[in-house]
């Protein structure tokens, strides 16, 4: 979040003179939601505070599916996090991930080389390091996933209550064929934000595209 705030300050978005619309996709959606609450409730430093006008969340990774938790934790427990589909490194692995998030088949083949190239210098456990921030699971143990999910739900509700009190408009857009973000996220955001929240469902769309 500090990186986003630094960027906004660098481009003059935090001088308080121009209303800011926050838009975030996937992990960026989760960041935009928390960032909006931080700036609306005055938690951010006054010198870098963003005058948030409205927020749009596209498939926001505020809470991921139980299947994703189970898959990632399973491969990590067995020392094979490199086999997790999200930890792709080769073009074939990137194609598999692109199919999961909803890209059309012709695009999977075209985009896979680009994604694989972007991971070429990253460590083998890249996804696990990302996962600790996204999923909230730091270690293994009985009830760890449930505790992580509970913490994520509490954070969602906390940020939402701040935006509800300020009547900040929030739009949540999610696909009906979403396989990454938990299906409960749009309704939980609406429950937390209240009447200021609108939800749009894109029929047949996955996390990124339409298969």
């Amino acid at each position: 979040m500090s990186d986003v705030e630094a960027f906004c300050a660098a481009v003059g978005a935090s001088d308080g003179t121009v209303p800011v619309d926050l838009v975030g996709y996937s992990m960026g959606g989760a960041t935009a939601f928390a960032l909006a609450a931080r700036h609306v409730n005055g938690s951010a430093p006054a010198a870098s505070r963003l005058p948030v006008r409205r927020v749009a969340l596209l498939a926001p990774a505020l809470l991921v599916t139980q299947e994703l938790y189970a898959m990632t934790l399973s491969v990590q427990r067995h020392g094979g996090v490199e086999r997790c589909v999200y930890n792709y490194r080769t073009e074939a692995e990137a194609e598999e991930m692109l199919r999961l998030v909803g890209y059309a088949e012709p695009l999977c083949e075209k985009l896979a080389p680009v994604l694989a190239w972007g991971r070429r210098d990253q460590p083998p456990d890249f996804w696990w390091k990302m996962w600790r921030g996204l999923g909230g699971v730091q270690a293994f143990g009985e009830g760890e996933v449930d505790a992580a999910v509970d913490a994520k739900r509490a954070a969602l509700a906390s940020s939402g209550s701040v935006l509800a009190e300020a009547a900040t408009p929030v739009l949540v857009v999610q696909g009906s064929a979403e396989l990454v973000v938990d299906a409960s996220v749009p309704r939980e955001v609406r429950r937390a934000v209240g009447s200021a929240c609108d939800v749009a469902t894109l029929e047949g769309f996955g996390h990124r595209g339409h298969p």
Side-chain angles (χ1 to χ4, degrees), residues 61-64 69 132-136 147-157:
L62 290 160
L63 184 66
V64 296
Y69 274 112
R132 284 183 294 187
L134 173 63
V149 170
D150 288 344
K152 287 290 184 180
R153 290 189 192 281
L156 188 162

Side-chain angles (χ1 to χ4, degrees), residues 152-194:
K152 287 290 184 180
R153 290 189 192 281
L156 188 162
S158 177
S159 293
S161 66
V162 170
L163 299 177
E165 186 175 351
T168 303
V170 177
L171 171 65
V172 185
V173 181
Q174 189 154 309
S176 64
E178 173 69 61
L179 295 176
V180 178
V181 177
D182 194 87
S184 68
V185 166
R187 64 176 176 269
E188 292 210 20
V189 174
R190 174 180 275 168
R191 183 183 300 120
V193 177

Side-chain angles (χ1 to χ4, degrees), residues 43-94:
S43 298
S48 61
R49 197 164 298 156
L50 299 171
V52 178
R53 177 170 56 183
R54 54 194 172 191
V55 184
L57 310 174
L58 313 178
L62 290 160
L63 184 66
V64 296
T65 64
Q66 286 285 350
E67 290 79 7
L68 181 52
Y69 274 112
M71 176 184 67
T72 304
L73 291 176
S74 175
V75 295
Q76 176 67 7
R77 281 195 183 99
H78 294 89
V81 73
E82 68 278 356
R83 294 194 299 274
C84 176
V85 66
Y86 294 97
N87 201 61
Y88 61 86
R89 302 184 68 77
T90 68
E91 290 185 19
E93 291 167 346

